[in-house]
Amino acid sequence: MTAVAQAPTPVRRAHTGKVTQGRVIKSEWIKFRTLRSSRWSLIAGVGAMIAIALLFSLAMKSHYPHMSQARQKEVDPVADPMRGVFLGQLAVGVLGVMMITGEYTTGMIRASLSAAPKRLPVLWAKALVFTVVAWTIMTATAFVCFFLAQSIFSSIHIDKSISDPGVLRAVFGEGLYLTVVGLLGVALGAIIRSTAGAIAALFGILLVLPVLGEVLNLTSWGDHVNPYLPSNAGQQVMALTTTSPDMKPWPGFFLFVGYAVVAMAAAAILLKRRDA
Amino acid sequence: MIEARSLTKRYGDKTAVSDLSFTVRPGIVTGFLGPNGAGKSTTMRMILGLDRPSSGAVTVNGKAYAEHAAPLHEVGALLEAKAIHTGRSAYNHLLALAATTGIERSRVDEVIDLVGLRDVAKKRAGGFSLGMGQRLGIASALLGDPDTLILDEPVNGLDPEGILWIRNLLKALAAEGRTVFVSSHLMSEMALTAEHLIVIGQGKLIADTSVAEFISRASTGSVKVRTPDAAKLRELLAGPDVTVSSSVEGTLQVEGLTSDRIGTVAAENRITLFELAPHEASLEEAFMELTGDAVEYRAPAQKTSAGADAGASAAADSAADVEVNA
Ligand SMILES: Nc1ncnc2c1ncn2[C@@H]1O[C@H](COP(=O)(O)OP(=O)(O)OP(=O)(O)O)[C@@H](O)[C@H]1O
Ligand SMILES: [Mg+2]
């Protein structure tokens, strides 16, 4: 080791690429597309949504002629085939959570944060990659479900056109709602860092809160609280007929986005502050 | 160059690293030693900005790690716990890391070949053996061709060939002028690889020394004497700075006198000697002695002294050569 005797000159390398937000996004995109589990949860979500849409509309087609007039009036040809959204949100929510917790449980997060030590670019990149993928696929699925269902409904003449009032917004809204559900999952994943904990928190908020809210309905409090619960507010955008007089579609959706933004801000602060 | 200044890390009321200051210089391999729980991994995570120091600071080439515009080119790290998503292939893992800083695909192929993972590069990292995971970690560390390498127990899980490979790799990297900081539990391994040592125990600095100095300081200079006249010799050797102990009948362990002196005393008094063996402590012993008070996690029955005795008999053979020359 004779080289050691002289004062060594630091090595200067050919590659000196800076870390940029764009590069971190590219890295997150590579990470996303190279995990089989992310593909599977999307496929499961899409499959479930389409299956439910088909199931509902085919069942409707065969039963509709035998229904009472009162029952026939209750049929909502846009919302009914959209019931799959409840399964879709499970898939997309889990995917959002796993985007982050998958890295914490495997230790990958330390590699990610060493590569991008400013940290926040990693969160933004994950959120962006997730948003683009989830929104594209979920919106496409929503339209597929809609048109499949209406083509089945056309034989019983209850089909709606996409140009009917509110229909485009509702179908479009389904993709938007699901995307924000997933983003809430991303944020909760970053806050809680364990898969089970974050999934429990996400579906506690989306599914359990509204049930508890119904208890409040027995009191005068119900009307003041229920419309503002995250999923109640968020789902207004995909409803053709507003289920809540106090919450219009877009304000409801933006309130839901607001919850996700707050969660994402909390995630960002914690990511920056905590030990990895 | 890594510079730690009064680095302290507390987890709740547990102080993992306490007021630690040291400098790791370029051009040599610096070993980072300490018993389990000494705070080596914690220190390394703080260097990488993964854990935030409770107080104090650490810089790499003059800047906090996070302040570097191209951190992967500045510092390559292998952390203790695998930092790899188990569902992704080794190749894609490296590709994703490379993308953050614009490293080309060809470099990914290069490091995969370098660590010998070509055959399994497209397989899920979750199925990797300990040694393969370690090689992938080393590939990630080398990806950006960094000036500084921080490796937490890199030989952990490697086969003998792998250990030799990493030893030579580290030396070669240092010889190119890079800063190489390697943690280990094994003093003997570090003696072969490192030129400088930073030893910590219970989060505190115990020694910051060259390996050569450590070895010479470690020599306790005790001499083993076997004689049929043990009791008589013991009396003759007694003196203010001399300790003589005997655990086996007819054998003395003398500290504070050279073997020359003992031999002379014996000859002057016509005492027969069967054996006169100066004994230098093995590195492992010296290390355990140094960190003895700082050992945090220890099996209840096995005190450090017991461990040292076991090492002593093994070391005695190698010490025999020294004796002949003297
Ligand atoms: N995240 C943490 N939370 C709480 N305590 C921690 C954490 N990380 C480390 N410690 C504690 O800090 C001390 C130092 O741990 P560290 O892992 O740095 O030791 P080490 O020298 O790397 O040990 P080993 O040789 O076993 O790898 C230990 O007592 C450990 O329990
Ligand atoms: Mg450790």
Side-chain angles (χ1 to χ4, degrees), chain A residues 43-68:
Chain A
I43 290 171
V46 168
M49 283 164 70
I50 293 176
I52 299 254
L54 280 175
L55 209 67
F56 257 90
S57 27
L58 289 173
M60 187 69 69
K61 182 181 161 186
S62 55
H63 290 292
Y64 191 81
H66 318 294
M67 283 177 179
S68 69

Side-chain angles (χ1 to χ4, degrees), chain B residues 34-42 44-45 79-81 152-153 183 185:
Chain B
N36 288 134
K40 303 179 295 293
S41 302
T42 304
M44 290 182 154
R45 285 198 306 273
L79 293 167
E80 179 176 41
D152 201 352
E153 295 178 36
S183 82
H185 301 114

Side-chain angles (χ1 to χ4, degrees), chain A residues 70-86:
Chain A
R71 277 287 286 120
Q72 285 186 345
K73 275 225 173 84
E74 281 173 16
V75 170
D76 183 337
V78 176
D80 287 351
M82 255 191 212
R83 296 283 182 86
V85 77
F86 288 96

